[in-house]
Amino acid sequence: MVSAPFSRRGFLAGIGGVGVAGLLGACATGSNESAGAASTTLTLQSSLSDPDPKAALTKVVEGYSKSQVTLNTIAIETFRAQLPTYLNSGNPPDVLTWYAGSVARDYASKGFLLDVSDLWTGSGPCAGFSPALKELSTADGKQIFVPTNYYWWGVFYRKSAFQEWGVQVPTTWDEFIAVCKTIKSKGVAPISMGTGSTPWVASGWFDYLNLRINGADFHRELLSGKHPFDGPEVKTVMDHYRQLVEYIDPKGRSYSWQDAVTPLTAKKAGMYLIGAFITSGVPSDAVDDLDFFRVPIIDPSVPVAEEAPTDGYFASAKSRNPQRAKELLGYLASAPAQQQFIQLAKSSNLPTSQAVDTTTFAPLVQKGIKLLNESKAITQFFNRDSSDELQTTADTALTKFLDSPGDVNKILTEWQGAAKKVLGS
């Protein structure tokens, strides 16, 4: 997301004078100082609840000495649903994990986010970040987000499995369907996808099919309400999606995205379109066997676009100590903090700081860097290019489609109706 995106991390008891409270599902508000008083203890609300990223963020926070920090970790779907409540409360968390791009801008437009433009100027900790990252972190001419890592999406598979099944990496849609047919003939589910408790995963294929058929510009316009979800372009996307349904592991409708990694690594499923965060769920003895390829080309005339969701932090506009909040953001954006987090999280995420040495990164990560460098356009993910509210409409529509692909026209009509309510048009 949602989501995914890298949606998992942070808990443990603090040391070195830093109090860390790992309260799954608890503490939606900031520190319990008297109303209006500047707080000396900062609250960092985290959605990073998977074990490795969670422990990694804990270690990073333990290394911060300028203020006491209480780290609250909330399960991702609860965090997503409660985020507007966190930000609009009378005593909100000071700093929160979340996503760059449209979703952050949406919260900024409601006045929920602290202006952190000074972190992006002069010798500020974000001053050396790329113009693309700055654009993703900007709303109405002000920077409201601090990006600390990003990652790519791809179709992941086990190299040894492809060898055993006698299939090659496909580069075109027809080749991809042929690979699916061959894998299915071996008694293996060709595609793994966990859309039970993490329905946003279904948007991965929707995004990529739209990017491959209609292009990045149309995709962004669709998600901003400039095109209807029941229009001919989206129907073409869903025609292609429908071709995949018979190859998707039906058990995935009860899986989380993490659960769906297991059949892939056990060679009971062939491929999985997911973000690079998949590596955090792959057993250590299978990591070197993991590889990926870009979603195959459908229309060669459409410039190749890739999804590269960008994660990081924003601060609440109602923080009782905005200066301390910005200092914490600066620390989290620093090269040492980024390096430590990525290494301890055992993730394949890429740092946003150019001061981090990436030459020692794993071959898989180097391949991810190359993939993004070769892309003509970059998008984020459905909710990040629109809003969490619109993502909910996608979750409903696409999971209904997976269950009843023959009802696609009715589902698209309902989706457009729900989208119009969200977009107000």
Side-chain angles (χ1 to χ4, degrees):
M1 231 225 220
V2 336
S3 69
F6 204 172
S7 49
R8 17 268 164 207
R9 22 229 185 203
F11 169 92
L12 220 21
I15 58 174
V18 180
V20 181
L23 307 175
L24 255 188
C27 289
T29 60
S31 56
N32 294 321
E33 302 286 333
S34 60
S39 175
T40 57
T41 298
L42 297 174
T43 300
L44 171 53
Q45 198 91 335
S46 171
S47 63
L48 315 180
S49 55
D50 280 0
D52 288 333
K54 180 178 179 180
L57 184 57
T58 297
K59 280 295 184 184
V60 171
V61 170
E62 286 174 357
Y64 186 63
S65 58
K66 296 188 84 172
S67 299
Q68 277 201 319
V69 180
T70 297
L71 176 60
N72 295 334
T73 302
I74 313 296
I76 178 63
E77 299 307 328
T78 301
F79 187 104
R80 183 191 306 277
Q82 293 298 318
L83 183 53
T85 301
Y86 300 156
L87 291 170
N88 199 34
S89 68
N91 184 19
D94 300 284
V95 175
L96 306 93
T97 62
W98 211 232
Y99 312 142
S102 294
V103 67
R105 293 190 193 103
D106 183 53
Y107 289 123
S109 71
K110 297 177 172 73
F112 289 160
L113 304 187
L114 186 66
D115 181 353
V116 295
S117 299
D118 50 331
L119 301 182
W120 288 83
T121 58
S123 59
C126 304
F129 291 3
S130 72
L133 287 171
K134 186 172 185 178
E135 191 276 331
L136 285 173
S137 304
T138 300
D140 295 326
K142 300 175 182 178
Q143 285 70 59
I144 42 76
F145 191 82
V146 171
T148 55
N149 60 87
Y150 65 106
Y151 57 92
W152 74 97
W153 275 61
V155 182
F156 287 83
Y157 68 99
R158 289 195 66 167
K159 291 178 282 189
S160 63
F162 267 36
Q163 291 171 351
E164 292 168 18
W165 300 328
V167 295
Q168 305 293 321
V169 169
T171 58
T172 68
W173 184 251
D174 288 344
E175 290 174 357
F176 182 69
I177 296 299
V179 166
C180 288
K181 288 180 179 178
T182 300
I183 294 175
K184 189 174 183 179
S185 74
K186 308 291 183 181
V188 174
I191 299 171
S192 191
M193 185 164 68
T195 55
S197 61
T198 52
W200 52 265
V201 175
S203 294
W205 276 111
F206 178 83
D207 282 6
Y208 265 105
L209 292 173
N210 199 27
L211 291 171
R212 294 290 181 264
I213 294 167
N214 297 313
D217 288 343
F218 176 89
H219 183 64
R220 294 190 190 101
E221 291 170 0
L222 175 70
L223 301 193
S224 65
K226 295 179 181 177
H227 303 286
F229 282 94
D230 56 354
E233 298 91 349
V234 176
K235 288 183 178 179
T236 301
V237 169
M238 299 309 291
D239 287 343
H240 285 74
Y241 208 153
R242 191 170 180 177
Q243 293 177 45
L244 299 180
V245 174
E246 67 177 288
Y247 302 116
I248 297 172
D249 184 357
K251 296 177 183 176
R253 289 293 292 113
S254 63
Y255 291 164
S256 67
W257 79 262
Q258 297 98 323
D259 296 332
V261 177
T262 300
L264 180 76
T265 57
K267 300 183 181 179
K268 294 181 179 179
M271 301 169 285
Y272 193 179
L273 175 62
I274 197 71
F277 51 79
I278 187 177
T279 56
S280 67
V282 175
S284 57
D285 61 355
V287 170
D288 290 342
D289 193 37
L290 191 69
D291 204 348
F292 73 93
F293 56 90
R294 74 165 75 241
V295 172
I297 302 302
I298 296 175
D299 182 348
S301 70
V302 176
V304 177
E306 299 295 336
E307 303 253 68
T310 302
D311 294 348
Y313 305 86
F314 46 47
S316 170
K318 296 181 182 178
S319 170
R320 295 186 177 180
N321 200 324
Q323 186 56 40
R324 286 180 184 267
K326 287 194 281 188
E327 288 170 354
L328 176 59
L329 288 171
Y331 167 76
L332 295 167
S334 68
Q338 289 191 27
Q339 182 100 43
Q340 183 184 30
F341 176 79
I342 289 172
Q343 289 176 340
L344 293 179
K346 303 175 185 175
S347 82
S348 295
N349 281 24
L350 310 175
T352 56
S353 171
Q354 297 181 23
V356 176
D357 180 11
T358 60
T359 59
T360 59
F361 283 20
L364 191 75
V365 179
Q366 297 290 352
K367 186 176 178 180
I369 295 172
K370 185 172 184 287
L371 174 83
L372 296 182
N373 287 342
E374 291 176 349
S375 301
K376 300 298 183 184
I378 294 292
T379 54
Q380 296 257 341
F381 191 77
F382 191 101
N383 68 312
R384 299 170 184 237
D385 288 323
S386 57
S387 67
D388 288 340
E389 290 81 7
L390 197 65
Q391 179 69 62
T392 300
T393 71
D395 295 347
T396 300
L398 295 175
T399 52
K400 280 185 179 179
F401 166 75
L402 291 172
D403 293 336
S404 304
D407 294 337
V408 62
N409 288 335
K410 176 185 175 185
I411 291 167
L412 291 180
T413 299
E414 292 173 349
W415 191 1
Q416 174 59 16
K420 284 181 70 174
K421 292 179 181 178
V422 170
L423 295 165
S425 60

